[in-house]
């Protein structure tokens, strides 16, 4: 993505496994995956669903400011 080249199929192939691992992600892990998909401009509604949102809300008090910034970028991309 840094060079403007994104393999969207690769990102899409990660979705099923990434979705299954949501419960095991750290706060930074949740922010990183959201930010990566936003930067790559890959729509992933089956990954960023109610389970993802609820996990972020559940962990809301543990996010570092950098992670909150990443989630904000993801949110802006979603809207």
């Amino acid at each position: 993505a840094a060079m403007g080249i994104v393999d969207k199929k690769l990102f899409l192939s990660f979705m099923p496994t990434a979705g299954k691992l949501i419960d095991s992600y750290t706060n930074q892990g949740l922010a990183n995956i959201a930010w990566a998909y936003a930067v790559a401009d890959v729509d992933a509604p089956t990954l960023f669903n109610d389970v993802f949102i609820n996990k972020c809300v559940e962990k809301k008090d543990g996010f570092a400011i950098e992670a909150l910034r990443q989630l904000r970028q993801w949110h802006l991309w979603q809207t």
Side-chain angles (χ1 to χ4, degrees), residues 1 5-18 32-44 47-48:
I5 301 168
V6 175
D7 186 344
K8 290 189 178 196
K9 288 182 183 179
L10 181 64
F11 274 84
L12 294 173
S13 73
F14 293 148
M15 285 182 0
T17 302
N32 286 350
I33 196 161
W35 181 80
Y37 275 78
V39 169
D41 194 26
V42 176
D43 191 30
L47 176 57
F48 302 113

Side-chain angles (χ1 to χ4, degrees), residues 8-79:
K8 290 189 178 196
K9 288 182 183 179
L10 181 64
F11 274 84
L12 294 173
S13 73
F14 293 148
M15 285 182 0
T17 302
K20 290 178 186 174
L21 296 173
I22 291 291
D23 286 333
S24 68
Y25 290 150
T26 62
N27 291 31
Q28 188 62 56
L30 289 167
N32 286 350
I33 196 161
W35 181 80
Y37 275 78
V39 169
D41 194 26
V42 176
D43 191 30
T46 59
L47 176 57
F48 302 113
N49 55 21
D50 289 343
V51 174
F52 179 84
I53 300 297
N54 289 337
K55 187 54 69 173
C56 288
V57 170
E58 178 184 308
K59 294 178 164 236
K60 69 181 181 212
D61 294 330
F63 284 103
I65 191 70
E66 295 83 9
L68 291 173
R69 288 180 181 140
Q70 288 176 301
L71 288 171
R72 175 67 176 148
Q73 288 298 314
W74 169 76
H75 180 260
L76 290 171
W77 170 72
Q78 291 286 312
T79 57

